[in-house]
Amino acid sequence: MNHRNGFNPLSRTTAHRRAMSRNMVTSLFRYERITTTKSKALEVRKSAEKLITRAKVDSVHNRREAAKFIQDEKILNKLFTEIGPRMKERNGGYTRVLKLGYRQGDAADVVILELVDYKLDTEDKEEKSKKSSKKAEGAEPKAKKTAKAKDASAEDKPKKTTSKKPAAKKADAETK
């Protein structure tokens, strides 16, 4: 029986499990959305939610306690300046797990672990497509201009004609 077992060891040693958990939590805070297996996501979620709860109150003690877990200073700063204040009104439940299906190789459950207030970058994609279409429109007139410039320069230059005058002069000189 498995009574009162507080965590899933994930078939890893303690050091490996702790390092993996730290890396995944750091990635979750960096990208605000990660894809992983269901069992890993459920374990990472526990530590991530505890850190977000600490980040809601920005104090030296809370920063040092979070710094024990998160090694990257930029991500730690992001946690306390962006993520913590965004979750101020929430009383837990800062992350969600979305099921994707089964992985091809080993049929493991694959899920997306993301922060609740995560928004897809659909606006950025639309802006990028608008910018690329503007670039394409801007590129077409340039191409037309260069083609016109080449045609104009060809018209300005005199056409090269092969004249037989020098050869004819030599031939005339030889006959005389």
PDB file of all heavy atoms in Angstrom, residues 147-160:
ATOM      1  N   ALA A 147      13.855  46.553 -62.630  1.00  0.00           N
ATOM      2  CA  ALA A 147      13.667  46.048 -63.989  1.00  0.00           C
ATOM      3  C   ALA A 147      13.525  47.206 -64.969  1.00  0.00           C
ATOM      4  O   ALA A 147      14.101  47.192 -66.060  1.00  0.00           O
ATOM      5  CB  ALA A 147      12.424  45.151 -64.046  1.00  0.00           C
ATOM      6  N   LYS A 148      12.782  48.241 -64.555  1.00  0.00           N
ATOM      7  CA  LYS A 148      12.628  49.417 -65.414  1.00  0.00           C
ATOM      8  C   LYS A 148      13.956  50.132 -65.586  1.00  0.00           C
ATOM      9  O   LYS A 148      14.285  50.617 -66.661  1.00  0.00           O
ATOM     10  CB  LYS A 148      11.591  50.381 -64.828  1.00  0.00           C
ATOM     11  CG  LYS A 148      10.170  49.865 -64.928  1.00  0.00           C
ATOM     12  CD  LYS A 148       9.203  50.842 -64.316  1.00  0.00           C
ATOM     13  CE  LYS A 148       7.772  50.318 -64.360  1.00  0.00           C
ATOM     14  NZ  LYS A 148       6.850  51.249 -63.710  1.00  0.00           N
ATOM     15  N   ALA A 149      14.729  50.196 -64.514  1.00  0.00           N
ATOM     16  CA  ALA A 149      16.030  50.867 -64.581  1.00  0.00           C
ATOM     17  C   ALA A 149      16.949  50.118 -65.537  1.00  0.00           C
ATOM     18  O   ALA A 149      17.688  50.732 -66.311  1.00  0.00           O
ATOM     19  CB  ALA A 149      16.652  50.951 -63.185  1.00  0.00           C
ATOM     20  N   LYS A 150      16.901  48.794 -65.506  1.00  0.00           N
ATOM     21  CA  LYS A 150      17.740  48.013 -66.411  1.00  0.00           C
ATOM     22  C   LYS A 150      17.321  48.250 -67.858  1.00  0.00           C
ATOM     23  O   LYS A 150      18.159  48.385 -68.747  1.00  0.00           O
ATOM     24  CB  LYS A 150      17.637  46.531 -66.069  1.00  0.00           C
ATOM     25  CG  LYS A 150      18.366  46.168 -64.795  1.00  0.00           C
ATOM     26  CD  LYS A 150      18.220  44.699 -64.488  1.00  0.00           C
ATOM     27  CE  LYS A 150      18.893  44.351 -63.181  1.00  0.00           C
ATOM     28  NZ  LYS A 150      18.699  42.940 -62.824  1.00  0.00           N
ATOM     29  N   ASP A 151      16.001  48.301 -68.113  1.00  0.00           N
ATOM     30  CA  ASP A 151      15.513  48.553 -69.465  1.00  0.00           C
ATOM     31  C   ASP A 151      15.926  49.940 -69.933  1.00  0.00           C
ATOM     32  O   ASP A 151      16.346  50.117 -71.074  1.00  0.00           O
ATOM     33  CB  ASP A 151      13.988  48.424 -69.522  1.00  0.00           C
ATOM     34  CG  ASP A 151      13.536  46.980 -69.283  1.00  0.00           C
ATOM     35  OD1 ASP A 151      14.370  46.067 -69.495  1.00  0.00           O
ATOM     36  OD2 ASP A 151      12.362  46.791 -68.903  1.00  0.00           O
ATOM     37  N   ALA A 152      15.812  50.923 -69.048  1.00  0.00           N
ATOM     38  CA  ALA A 152      16.167  52.292 -69.417  1.00  0.00           C
ATOM     39  C   ALA A 152      17.655  52.409 -69.694  1.00  0.00           C
ATOM     40  O   ALA A 152      18.074  53.075 -70.639  1.00  0.00           O
ATOM     41  CB  ALA A 152      15.751  53.263 -68.313  1.00  0.00           C
ATOM     42  N   SER A 153      18.464  51.751 -68.876  1.00  0.00           N
ATOM     43  CA  SER A 153      19.906  51.833 -69.090  1.00  0.00           C
ATOM     44  C   SER A 153      20.294  51.128 -70.382  1.00  0.00           C
ATOM     45  O   SER A 153      21.220  51.534 -71.066  1.00  0.00           O
ATOM     46  CB  SER A 153      20.662  51.234 -67.899  1.00  0.00           C
ATOM     47  OG  SER A 153      20.358  49.848 -67.783  1.00  0.00           O
ATOM     48  N   ALA A 154      19.571  50.093 -70.739  1.00  0.00           N
ATOM     49  CA  ALA A 154      19.848  49.397 -71.989  1.00  0.00           C
ATOM     50  C   ALA A 154      19.486  50.278 -73.181  1.00  0.00           C
ATOM     51  O   ALA A 154      20.164  50.259 -74.205  1.00  0.00           O
ATOM     52  CB  ALA A 154      19.076  48.084 -72.046  1.00  0.00           C
ATOM     53  N   GLU A 155      18.416  51.073 -73.047  1.00  0.00           N
ATOM     54  CA  GLU A 155      18.008  51.958 -74.130  1.00  0.00           C
ATOM     55  C   GLU A 155      18.980  53.122 -74.275  1.00  0.00           C
ATOM     56  O   GLU A 155      19.242  53.589 -75.372  1.00  0.00           O
ATOM     57  CB  GLU A 155      16.600  52.492 -73.873  1.00  0.00           C
ATOM     58  CG  GLU A 155      15.527  51.424 -73.987  1.00  0.00           C
ATOM     59  CD  GLU A 155      14.157  51.933 -73.570  1.00  0.00           C
ATOM     60  OE1 GLU A 155      14.044  53.140 -73.269  1.00  0.00           O
ATOM     61  OE2 GLU A 155      13.215  51.135 -73.546  1.00  0.00           O
ATOM     62  N   ASP A 156      19.528  53.611 -73.151  1.00  0.00           N
ATOM     63  CA  ASP A 156      20.458  54.735 -73.196  1.00  0.00           C
ATOM     64  C   ASP A 156      21.772  54.356 -73.857  1.00  0.00           C
ATOM     65  O   ASP A 156      22.372  55.150 -74.568  1.00  0.00           O
ATOM     66  CB  ASP A 156      20.739  55.259 -71.778  1.00  0.00           C
ATOM     67  CG  ASP A 156      19.492  55.876 -71.160  1.00  0.00           C
ATOM     68  OD1 ASP A 156      18.566  56.222 -71.919  1.00  0.00           O
ATOM     69  OD2 ASP A 156      19.465  56.003 -69.919  1.00  0.00           O
ATOM     70  N   LYS A 157      22.222  53.144 -73.629  1.00  0.00           N
ATOM     71  CA  LYS A 157      23.502  52.726 -74.209  1.00  0.00           C
ATOM     72  C   LYS A 157      23.304  52.427 -75.685  1.00  0.00           C
ATOM     73  O   LYS A 157      22.293  51.856 -76.090  1.00  0.00           O
ATOM     74  CB  LYS A 157      24.004  51.468 -73.504  1.00  0.00           C
ATOM     75  CG  LYS A 157      24.398  51.719 -72.066  1.00  0.00           C
ATOM     76  CD  LYS A 157      24.891  50.443 -71.441  1.00  0.00           C
ATOM     77  CE  LYS A 157      25.235  50.654 -69.976  1.00  0.00           C
ATOM     78  NZ  LYS A 157      25.636  49.403 -69.336  1.00  0.00           N
ATOM     79  N   PRO A 158      24.256  52.816 -76.516  1.00  0.00           N
ATOM     80  CA  PRO A 158      24.157  52.483 -77.933  1.00  0.00           C
ATOM     81  C   PRO A 158      24.322  50.982 -78.131  1.00  0.00           C
ATOM     82  O   PRO A 158      25.091  50.339 -77.427  1.00  0.00           O
ATOM     83  CB  PRO A 158      25.298  53.264 -78.584  1.00  0.00           C
ATOM     84  CG  PRO A 158      26.251  53.524 -77.479  1.00  0.00           C
ATOM     85  CD  PRO A 158      25.451  53.586 -76.227  1.00  0.00           C
ATOM     86  N   LYS A 159      23.578  50.509 -79.078  1.00  0.00           N
ATOM     87  CA  LYS A 159      23.643  49.081 -79.350  1.00  0.00           C
ATOM     88  C   LYS A 159      24.956  48.771 -80.039  1.00  0.00           C
ATOM     89  O   LYS A 159      25.433  49.519 -80.886  1.00  0.00           O
ATOM     90  CB  LYS A 159      22.477  48.656 -80.237  1.00  0.00           C
ATOM     91  CG  LYS A 159      21.146  48.786 -79.556  1.00  0.00           C
ATOM     92  CD  LYS A 159      20.042  48.310 -80.452  1.00  0.00           C
ATOM     93  CE  LYS A 159      18.699  48.446 -79.768  1.00  0.00           C
ATOM     94  NZ  LYS A 159      17.600  48.039 -80.639  1.00  0.00           N
ATOM     95  N   LYS A 160      25.525  47.677 -79.655  1.00  0.00           N
ATOM     96  CA  LYS A 160      26.791  47.277 -80.254  1.00  0.00           C
ATOM     97  C   LYS A 160      26.491  46.606 -81.590  1.00  0.00           C
ATOM     98  O   LYS A 160      25.740  45.642 -81.660  1.00  0.00           O
ATOM     99  CB  LYS A 160      27.531  46.304 -79.339  1.00  0.00           C
ATOM    100  CG  LYS A 160      27.996  46.939 -78.050  1.00  0.00           C
ATOM    101  CD  LYS A 160      28.776  45.949 -77.228  1.00  0.00           C
ATOM    102  CE  LYS A 160      29.251  46.583 -75.938  1.00  0.00           C
ATOM    103  NZ  LYS A 160      29.987  45.646 -75.113  1.00  0.00           N
TER     104      LYS A 160
END
